[in-house]
Amino acid sequence: MLDSAASPLLAVLAAIGTGVALLCLGWACANAYLAASTKVPGGMGMPLVGHLIDLQKLTVTGLHVAGLRKWGPVFRIWWGATPHVVVARPE
């Protein structure tokens, strides 16, 4: 049986262990996400907003045409924090 002095210590250790486990899980998910999204050519865009800033200067079609010219028929653009793959030609 545990005494009352050990109970707060166990709670702190459990909280630290849970935090470390969540950090490791988040790192693994983010690493897999970025590894998968960087296999397709394309720019990274701005943090959190991606290529949405470019829509002040271009339309969506203009952004796709610019990407086609710069990266080829298959490229990646970011809408906010989400990568999107654009396929410009059906071949």
Side-chain angles (χ1 to χ4, degrees), residues 57-71:
K57 297 177 263 181
L58 300 169
T59 64
V60 174
T61 304
L63 187 61
H64 287 177
V65 169
L68 173 65
R69 289 181 181 149
K70 188 171 185 176
W71 295 299

Side-chain angles (χ1 to χ4, degrees), residues 46-91:
M46 300 292 291
L48 298 177
V49 295
H51 290 100
L52 294 176
I53 297 289
D54 296 332
L55 289 178
Q56 292 178 347
K57 297 177 263 181
L58 300 169
T59 64
V60 174
T61 304
L63 187 61
H64 287 177
V65 169
L68 173 65
R69 289 181 181 149
K70 188 171 185 176
W71 295 299
V74 178
F75 60 94
R76 178 192 69 242
I77 57 175
W78 292 78
W79 296 116
T82 307
H84 292 267
V85 175
V86 177
V87 179
R89 294 193 184 115
E91 297 90 49

Side-chain angles (χ1 to χ4, degrees), residues 1-68:
M1 182 174 236
L2 297 175
D3 59 354
S4 61
S7 182
L9 178 62
L10 288 176
V12 168
L13 290 175
I16 290 172
T18 302
V20 168
L22 288 174
L23 282 173
C24 289
L25 180 64
W27 177 81
C29 290
N31 193 23
Y33 179 73
L34 287 176
S37 67
T38 56
K39 290 182 180 181
V40 177
M44 286 300 292
M46 300 292 291
L48 298 177
V49 295
H51 290 100
L52 294 176
I53 297 289
D54 296 332
L55 289 178
Q56 292 178 347
K57 297 177 263 181
L58 300 169
T59 64
V60 174
T61 304
L63 187 61
H64 287 177
V65 169
L68 173 65

